[in-house]
Amino acid sequence: MVFASCKAMDGIGNTMQKKAAELERMAEVLVTGEQLRLRLHEGKVVKDRRHHLRTYPNCFVAKELIDWLLEHKEASDRDTAIKIMQKLLDQSIIHHVCDEHKEFKDMKLFYRFRKDDGTFPLDNEAKVFMRGQRIYEKLMMNTETSILATREEEGETFERTLVASELVDWLLAEGEMATREEAEHLGRRLLEHGIMQHVTNKHHFVDGGLLYQFRLNFRRRRRLMELLNERCRTIPESHDSPFCLRKQNPEGSNTSFLSVSPTKEIKMIVGIRRSSMSSSCGSSGYYSSSPTLSSSPPVLCNPKSVLKRQVSPEELQTPGGPYIKKTFTIVGDAVGWGFVVRGSKPCHIQAVDPSGPAAAAGMKVCQFVVSVNGLNVLSLDYRTVSNLILTGPRTVVMEVMEEADY
């Protein structure tokens, strides 16, 4: 694979940027397909099936899957659902169990995820992607000794950054690579494949003091409709909350976020790619199920807080006041819990994924977070609350206060 050389002032070069964007789109398809596979296994849609006295392990029925996609609002109609699955078939994520059909048909035919039968084609690009995903998950899980931190470069502050030399040290300590030269080569491959980037997009990966960030958030919940957006470009993602992503306007205007609150004023926006992440998020947020901003389909945006007014912890706890307490037990699925927490002292629920675990438990926007797993959080900000949930168990018990509906 040949990449264009580039000077620091000129960025990493148009050729590499185009190749990275292409590989990043491929990575998004792989992540989306894997998230769907896990959801279908959890929902028992994928299972062993018999036909003509023969058992076909770990497969699904095309017609039943189309029904499932419509039921879970992953597609607006059957034709769209077929196009989504055809995309996964074309990308070798799924296949007909006997490889007799190259088209995905809305019929009682058996299909299977290639990862479930070991036939997924592990080319060089897929191997780099899987390595990048494993490194990402290990770094995110190891919060106590994490090398991810907020740092400055060229007078600008960047969140969740990695110092190249520290990443190389970490790769060696974790046994991911044997030598510094191999670790540096892996870093360059991750950058070339759109998995990582230099914070200002000016440098390739070099074993030294430069700062880098992950470009992909493997934990973000993808919507299957994103697969049909060929021209879409993902937006930079903030890791300060396990539930939200961030978009920064290059002119420095207010940040905007997707929201699922149907009662709030919404507007259409056009997404613009920015290489660095914003360090201030304000009180906006969205559940991370649709990160792509493009002209088709339009993006619904709600940049403002869903709260009519901010309240104090004392007001929430006033005896005989207008607020009532509710307790939710939320079991995270393969892609998270499905809500956004924002604000401070107290935090509030900014948005809820209608198809996620939080919505199923009864969580709604505008509720104030009182406690997480028994710990009172009324005096904490959303970053701290988010970190409590991210670093805690998969099952989260949350107490919230909401205005009584008299």
Side-chain angles (χ1 to χ4, degrees):
M1 186 179 296
V2 180
F3 294 92
S5 61
C6 54
K7 297 180 180 179
M9 293 180 62
D10 295 330
I12 62 174
N14 291 333
T15 301
M16 181 180 289
Q17 286 180 326
K18 290 179 180 179
K19 183 65 175 177
E22 177 185 331
L23 293 170
E24 186 178 3
R25 285 193 293 270
M26 180 199 75
E28 287 291 338
V29 173
L30 294 176
V31 175
T32 305
E34 177 62 8
Q35 289 182 354
L36 176 62
R37 186 182 74 88
L38 294 175
R39 290 175 68 190
L40 294 178
H41 272 280
E42 187 174 342
K44 308 299 183 184
V45 179
V46 171
K47 58 185 179 182
D48 296 351
R49 300 175 185 272
R50 289 184 62 82
H51 181 66
H52 289 171
L53 302 180
R54 179 179 174 182
T55 299
Y56 296 86
N58 292 323
C59 62
F60 58 87
V61 179
K63 190 175 183 64
E64 292 179 5
L65 180 58
I66 298 297
D67 294 337
W68 186 92
L69 293 176
L70 296 177
E71 179 184 348
H72 288 77
K73 296 180 174 56
E74 290 287 358
S76 56
D77 52 62
R78 301 191 80 83
D79 287 341
T80 301
I82 292 172
K83 290 178 182 178
I84 290 172
M85 298 310 298
Q86 184 64 46
K87 181 77 173 182
L88 294 179
L89 194 149
D90 292 340
Q91 297 295 320
S92 295
I93 306 297
I94 64 172
H95 68 121
H96 180 254
V97 291
C98 298
D99 291 319
E100 294 177 353
H101 299 278
K102 300 302 180 183
E103 295 181 356
F104 191 87
K105 299 181 179 181
D106 188 3
M107 300 172 62
K108 291 184 178 180
L109 296 174
F110 291 171
Y111 291 83
R112 183 187 292 126
F113 283 86
R114 288 190 177 275
K115 194 168 182 179
D116 285 334
D117 62 11
T119 62
F120 183 77
L122 285 175
D123 56 15
N124 289 332
E125 276 70 27
K127 288 179 180 178
V128 173
F129 161 76
M130 295 176 72
R131 174 65 69 85
Q133 184 177 26
R134 185 170 76 246
I135 291 171
Y136 176 94
E137 292 293 345
K138 289 176 71 173
L139 286 170
M140 290 300 165
M141 291 291 290
N142 193 7
T143 56
E144 293 184 359
T145 59
S146 177
I147 58 176
L148 294 167
T150 300
R151 299 181 176 92
E152 289 188 4
E153 185 169 300
E154 298 183 2
E156 228 180 318
T157 301
F158 302 92
E159 296 179 353
R160 290 290 182 176
T161 63
L162 296 154
V163 179
S165 59
E166 291 184 6
L167 177 59
V168 170
D169 293 338
W170 183 87
L171 290 171
L172 296 176
E174 292 291 319
E176 290 286 343
M177 306 303 294
T179 66
R180 299 194 74 86
E181 291 75 17
E182 291 178 357
E184 183 181 52
H185 179 70
L186 175 60
R188 296 176 71 86
R189 294 279 282 166
L190 294 176
L191 188 143
E192 291 163 0
H193 284 68
I195 296 171
M196 292 181 62
Q197 65 181 13
H198 177 248
V199 290
T200 60
N201 221 26
K202 290 183 178 180
H203 301 281
H204 211 315
F205 187 88
V206 180
D207 182 6
L210 294 175
L211 302 183
Y212 298 84
Q213 292 168 320
F214 278 97
R215 226 171 132 180
L216 288 178
N217 182 349
F218 292 94
R219 293 183 174 183
R220 177 182 63 79
R221 183 169 187 164
R222 272 77 172 170
R223 285 291 184 189
L224 295 176
M225 284 294 295
E226 296 174 34
L227 294 175
L228 303 183
N229 271 342
E230 291 293 343
R231 294 175 294 176
C232 72
R233 304 192 68 169
T234 57
I235 61 177
E237 303 175 5
S238 164
H239 300 281
D240 60 5
S241 167
F243 321 113
C244 73
L245 310 179
R246 179 180 298 142
K247 179 187 82 70
Q248 178 180 354
N249 188 298
E251 299 302 324
S253 60
N254 293 335
T255 48
S256 300
F257 300 87
L258 304 184
S259 173
V260 298
S261 177
T263 60
K264 301 295 174 181
E265 181 181 357
I266 57 178
K267 61 181 180 180
M268 279 186 269
I269 61 174
V270 178
I272 302 175
R273 177 90 191 178
R274 174 86 174 203
S275 62
S276 62
M277 292 188 280
S278 167
S279 61
S280 62
C281 195
S283 60
S284 305
Y286 67 92
Y287 75 93
S288 53
S289 65
S290 182
T292 54
L293 304 178
S294 61
S295 57
S296 178
V299 174
L300 300 181
C301 176
N302 179 6
K304 298 181 179 179
S305 170
V306 295
L307 295 179
K308 295 179 181 179
R309 68 180 183 88
Q310 183 65 34
V311 302
S312 66
E314 292 74 24
E315 185 178 354
L316 282 178
Q317 299 178 95
T318 300
Y323 296 95
I324 59 174
K325 183 180 290 187
K326 291 187 175 181
T327 302
F328 302 125
T329 300
I330 307 170
V331 182
D333 61 16
V335 291
W337 294 269
F339 67 96
V340 173
V341 60
R342 275 291 178 267
S344 177
K345 301 179 183 181
C347 302
H348 65 272
I349 304 302
Q350 172 72 12
V352 179
D353 180 350
S355 63
M363 182 172 283
K364 299 177 181 178
V365 296
C366 297
Q367 293 172 334
F368 294 95
V369 184
V370 176
S371 71
V372 175
N373 293 329
L375 177 66
N376 188 295
V377 297
L378 284 172
S379 62
L380 304 179
D381 63 14
Y382 77 91
R383 297 174 191 271
T384 306
V385 173
S386 298
N387 190 56
L388 282 173
I389 298 171
L390 178 62
T391 58
R394 181 183 178 189
T395 300
V396 178
V397 179
M398 295 183 63
E399 287 186 343
V400 302
M401 299 283 283
E402 68 176 19
E403 197 165 2
D405 187 15
Y406 295 116

